[in-house]
Amino acid sequence: MKMIVLLILAVYISSAYAWWCDGHMIVFEIARQQLLDEKKTDILVKVNDTLFHMKEKDALNDTHKIACWMDHIKDYGGMKWSGMFHYVDIPYIVGDVKIVFHPQSNATGALKEAISTMYAKNCPSHLNCLLAKSLMMRVLIHLVGDIHQPMHAVSRFTSNLTHGDEGGNKFPLIFTDSIKNLHFLWDSIVGLNTGGDSPLKIIETNATAIRKDFPKDHYIEHLKVTEVEKWAEESYQAAIKYAYAGIKEDAKPSPTYLSTGQAVARERIAIAGYRLALLFENTLKQVTAADIKEQLNYYFHL
């Protein structure tokens, strides 16, 4: 088992973010690779044109970095309120506990709004349509990743935490200097990612490895599920069955816990990537190159 864990770790060469920045880029890369394999390059061109209508540099690496945009903006003072859109705290109640729970706007609502915007055909003007879809595609890419992270769909309530543990943020662990709670452990793909930002080549390698271990044809039934609330429920069930099981507060995760959790986390990333590819296809397949050119011409007065 120790050798297996070491071999998996060898694939994930240094990265600071997992379901932090790296993980979101891997989700995007899985979607990109899947569309390339299915010879749907026209969809990828439309993704690029929608994201970069402001004439930004459209290098592949920049496209991947878009996946982290929502995390970047919530660190700014005026955008801290957007943090609530990254998760949905479905209560997990342990024991006979009187909980204090206040539902609020969350990831499912924001993701549904993003999907609705991407499907929209009628806009007040070409400018509004471009800006709205460019913004909401960034939201779409990021939140598809977030909602498949088990600790982004749960809050554990106990007699000591009647307000919940905030997706494991209040579940302390002994692991590394940068990973000191259960939420961060799962954000790091259960310990696979613990360093600085990974180069694009590593993102591509990790995405390819995940697709090989968890191929799309194994998840046909999953891909028939389009309701984002059900995606969140899947993550919630994974949190209860795997994330909170076999681990104690203020303790070090066992090798068995880590290897099992890594497999679960990598599978959730694979499913997220395949679902993102389908969303790209379904929301953009009716958009023509002429439509995009007309919108760009309107915006830039060409």
Side-chain angles (χ1 to χ4, degrees):
M1 181 63 70
K2 182 177 180 181
M3 181 58 69
I4 293 174
V5 173
L6 289 174
L7 286 173
I8 294 175
L9 282 170
V11 176
Y12 284 77
I13 305 168
S14 86
S15 41
Y17 304 106
W19 255 308
W20 296 321
C21 193
D22 273 21
H24 286 289
M25 289 194 289
I26 292 170
V27 169
F28 180 88
E29 175 60 16
I30 288 172
R32 188 187 76 88
Q33 289 183 10
Q34 191 61 43
L35 289 170
L36 284 175
D37 285 356
E38 295 173 0
K39 303 188 185 306
K40 295 172 181 174
T41 54
D42 60 316
I43 298 297
L44 288 172
V45 169
K46 294 173 186 177
V47 169
N48 188 79
D49 287 345
T50 302
L51 288 172
F52 293 104
H53 73 274
M54 296 295 289
K55 287 191 174 179
E56 300 176 42
K57 184 180 178 183
D58 60 350
L60 186 59
N61 191 56
D62 290 342
T63 307
H64 283 67
K65 286 291 186 181
I66 287 294
C68 315
W69 177 78
M70 279 195 74
D71 277 341
H72 295 159
I73 65 166
K74 73 183 175 72
D75 292 333
Y76 293 103
M79 296 298 292
K80 288 187 181 297
W81 56 269
S82 67
M84 71 179 72
F85 298 129
H86 293 253
Y87 58 87
V88 49
D89 281 343
I90 304 174
Y92 170 37
I93 303 172
V94 180
D96 186 14
V97 182
K98 184 176 181 179
I99 71 172
V100 179
F101 179 66
H102 302 288
Q104 61 180 7
S105 298
N106 56 46
T108 56
L111 184 51
K112 288 167 70 174
E113 186 66 26
I115 294 171
S116 176
T117 300
M118 293 307 302
Y119 271 116
K121 295 181 179 179
N122 299 316
C123 300
S125 72
H126 294 307
L127 173 60
N128 288 344
C129 198
L130 275 172
L131 289 177
K133 292 197 173 187
S134 185
L135 170 67
M136 284 305 194
M137 182 171 282
R138 288 161 166 78
V139 174
L140 176 76
I141 292 168
H142 190 89
L143 293 189
V144 168
D146 272 349
I147 210 166
H148 284 80
Q149 207 274 57
M151 303 311 293
H152 277 244
V154 67
S155 188
R156 179 173 173 263
F157 291 80
T158 67
S159 57
N160 294 326
L161 289 169
T162 57
H163 288 75
D165 74 353
E166 299 176 1
N169 277 293
K170 295 182 178 180
F171 192 113
L173 294 176
I174 300 173
F175 197 64
T176 70
D177 289 342
S178 60
I179 301 173
K180 295 184 177 180
N181 64 55
L182 192 61
H183 187 99
F184 279 16
L185 182 65
W186 280 77
D187 263 348
S188 71
I189 314 183
V190 194
L192 289 177
N193 294 48
T194 56
D197 272 7
S198 293
L200 179 57
K201 192 65 178 177
I202 299 302
I203 298 299
E204 293 173 340
T205 298
N206 291 341
T208 299
I210 289 176
R211 290 181 67 223
K212 180 179 179 181
D213 292 341
F214 306 97
K216 180 183 176 182
D217 59 9
H218 288 189
Y219 300 97
I220 300 304
E221 293 304 313
H222 283 76
L223 298 181
K224 293 178 182 177
V225 178
T226 58
E227 299 92 337
V228 297
E229 292 87 354
K230 291 184 179 179
W231 299 354
E233 177 65 21
E234 292 171 4
S235 293
Y236 172 75
Q237 294 299 333
I240 295 173
K241 186 174 181 179
Y242 300 106
Y244 286 111
I247 195 168
K248 295 181 179 180
E249 294 183 45
D250 297 307
K252 187 176 181 179
S254 70
T256 299
Y257 179 92
L258 292 175
S259 61
T260 300
Q262 288 160 7
V264 171
R266 293 172 76 240
E267 180 181 48
R268 294 301 293 159
I269 287 174
I271 295 170
Y274 299 140
R275 283 173 169 160
L276 181 60
L278 280 177
L279 282 170
F280 283 155
E281 181 179 2
N282 291 336
T283 59
L284 294 172
K285 62 185 177 183
Q286 301 302 324
V287 178
T288 67
D291 291 334
I292 294 175
K293 183 177 181 180
E294 180 185 3
Q295 292 175 9
L296 290 171
N297 287 345
Y298 182 93
Y299 186 81
F300 294 112
H301 306 289
L302 299 179

